[in-house]
Amino acid sequence: MSLPTVSVDAEIAALAKRYKAANSVGMQVLNLIGGQAENLLERLPDRVKDQLEGATARALEVAMRAAQGSRGVVPDQKGWLNTALATAMGAAGGAGGLPSALAELPVTTTVLLRSIQGIAAEHGYDPEDPEIAKECLTVFASAGPLAQDDGADLGFLSARVTLTGATVHGVINRIAPRLATVMGQKLATQTVPLLGAAAGAATNYAYTSYYQQMAHVHFGLRTLARQSGRPRGELVEALRVAVTRPKVKIG
């Protein structure tokens, strides 16, 4: 039995609230470091920028193997614990400047991916299923917590349509260029003079909070499509409208 329209609208409103919350947390980081997201990458050395895409792809490969391999050993953790762990790692990575931040990148990526897998399981999906594994990766195709898009980029929610038949490795190669920009912004914040540890902690807090919220949006929308019987594309458009709808001022 499909969900009534009122229930669908309520679910869309709840998902829109999560989406907006995901994007707002990144502004705390920008306020801390006193910079604009589009200018952060200029702080990185050219040699790092040139190698960032490859490093990101390798980090995703390592994260996928480590995250899936750990599922039978370490149970899924609460969202706040994943956030706390990543925040501590960000502080440690930022304390040593760029070298330690680069070393921390694959570890943080693993924690992020594992938390996304845990949310997929929370919504009733099996992260070991190849299709769900690919959908977990597509969460990384969203804009990132430092992007000021306010709903302009919801394309990652429809990405599953274009990933049919693709291998996990193929999905990683498609996502890596986008995620490289996002992770480059993260690395840049961790190199801010005198703020390395604090910026690293704040950035990882923002990133973990962001991707966990986006995972809830992603898999919540998938579940809503199944339960309501409505096309996923139609629900994505409804979410886009809900996210971009201007706030009505009273008085």
Side-chain angles (χ1 to χ4, degrees), residues 49 51 61 63 78 103 127 132 134 143 148 200 206 217 233:
K49 286 186 285 188
Q51 299 173 8
E61 295 276 7
K78 297 291 185 181
I132 299 303
K134 289 188 288 187
Q148 302 179 29
V217 172

Side-chain angles (χ1 to χ4, degrees), residues 30 33 35-50 52-53 56 98 146 177-189 191 207:
L30 291 181
I33 63 176
Q36 295 296 316
E38 59 267 24
N39 297 326
L40 288 174
L41 288 176
E42 296 306 313
R43 300 180 180 180
L44 293 176
D46 289 340
R47 60 179 178 78
V48 173
K49 286 186 285 188
D50 292 343
L52 194 53
E53 185 175 324
T56 302
L98 187 58
L146 303 187
R178 180 62 174 274
L179 187 59
T181 300
V182 175
M183 288 304 185
Q185 293 169 344
K186 167 181 148 54
L187 291 175
T189 65
T191 64
Y207 276 55

